[in-house]
Amino acid sequence: NAGVTQTPKFQVLKTGQSMTLQCAQDMNHNSMYWYRQDPGMGLRLIYYSASEGTTDKGEVPNGYNVSRLNKREFSLRLESAAPSQTSVYFCASNLLAGESYEQYFGPGTRLTVT
Amino acid sequence: KNEVEQSPQNLTAQEGEFITINCSYSVGISALHWLQQHPGGGIVSLFMLSSGKKKHGRLIATINIQEKHSSLHITASHPRDSAVYICAVSSPLFGNEKLTFGTGTRLTIIP
């Protein structure tokens, strides 16, 4: 049982480049999340998916797109990276939409945009 | 905004000391979560509680719903407890499955 996995662990991009962060969970969870963590700020929700095929914007969605193609995987895409997107990105999952359950986090991706 | 406030921001203590980290929130909640972020960056959930008190090993979490306040206590602290402790709440205001996070308390335990 790997839990929540993320790839890559580290990435350096130049301004304007694109990339996709991958996330997968093997716990049969319905809800999945993408967060960013910046110094001095709490984790902030970028996008959320309550179930396969559904996605909702979170607090800071601008500059990002997501895709929930199946129950296991939830990807985050930066179409044209900007220095303001330098951050640590965490994927998380939760058993069920509509209820509060313990969230399980991936190991994070440290992204630097130059 | 700051629906979730933690104090202190930083805490340094000697090994063996009793540690208290506080969390106050301003919205009605369905649950409060305490998480631990290790120096390597990984985040793990410690507790989820909606009333009373929970205990796991040397960690104790309490919540007072009327006062909108929670505390995380660590007894007989150890250097391996050094981490960032994060308080988060889930609220029907934002959707129970979403968390609103505090900025964390950085705890350093000196041997």
Side-chain angles (χ1 to χ4, degrees):
Chain A
N1 228 358
V4 180
T5 56
Q6 288 182 237
T7 54
K9 284 194 166 52
F10 301 93
Q11 183 73 48
V12 179
L13 291 178
K14 291 190 188 324
T15 297
Q17 287 185 317
S18 62
M19 79 161 294
T20 300
L21 281 66
Q22 305 285 356
C23 173
Q25 52 89 11
D26 61 1
M27 297 173 284
N28 203 34
H29 284 174
N30 288 288
S31 299
M32 296 185 75
Y33 309 78
W34 276 107
Y35 296 101
R36 60 178 288 171
Q37 185 178 42
D38 301 295
M41 305 188 76
L43 286 149
R44 291 182 293 168
L45 182 65
I46 304 171
Y47 269 96
Y48 158 67
S49 171
S51 61
E52 179 182 340
T54 68
T55 60
D56 280 308
K57 293 178 181 178
E59 184 185 348
V60 288
N62 291 343
Y64 305 96
N65 285 304
V66 290
S67 178
R68 181 88 182 268
L69 292 176
N70 55 57
K71 194 170 186 178
R72 287 189 67 247
E73 296 169 302
F74 188 36
S75 61
L76 178 72
R77 182 158 178 85
L78 287 71
E79 290 291 351
S80 178
S84 60
Q85 294 178 305
T86 293
S87 189
V88 181
Y89 291 85
F90 288 95
C91 177
S93 70
N94 185 355
L95 178 61
L96 204 60
E99 298 291 335
S100 186
Y101 289 94
E102 178 181 344
Q103 287 198 10
Y104 293 80
F105 287 80
T109 296
R110 188 173 293 273
L111 174 67
T112 302
V113 183
T114 61
Chain B
K1 200 162 88 163
N2 295 333
E3 287 94 2
V4 182
E5 300 270 4
Q6 288 185 239
S7 63
Q9 284 189 308
N10 294 284
L11 178 57
T12 300
Q14 293 290 132
E15 182 173 355
E17 286 189 38
F18 181 82
I19 303 298
T20 297
I21 298 170
N22 297 299
C23 176
S24 297
Y25 53 91
S26 57
V27 295
I29 66 168
S30 51
L32 184 138
H33 302 246
W34 282 102
L35 306 104
Q36 181 191 53
Q37 185 168 24
H38 295 284
I43 299 172
V44 295
S45 179
L46 297 174
F47 295 104
M48 185 180 81
L49 64 167
S50 54
S51 65
K53 178 173 156 175
K54 285 192 175 179
K55 185 174 190 289
H56 185 255
R58 294 179 294 105
L59 272 60
I60 304 163
T62 63
I63 188 167
N64 184 319
I65 297 291
Q66 286 74 30
E67 295 187 5
K68 293 187 164 62
H69 181 268
S70 175
S71 293
L72 177 68
H73 305 287
I74 305 174
T75 62
S77 59
H78 190 276
R80 65 175 175 265
D81 297 325
S82 297
V84 175
Y85 292 84
I86 301 169
C87 174
V89 300
S90 51
S91 171
L93 259 180
F94 311 122
N96 285 328
E97 66 278 6
K98 296 178 188 170
L99 296 182
T100 302
F101 296 84
T103 54
T105 294
R106 184 174 298 276
L107 174 66
T108 303
I109 304 296
I110 299 169

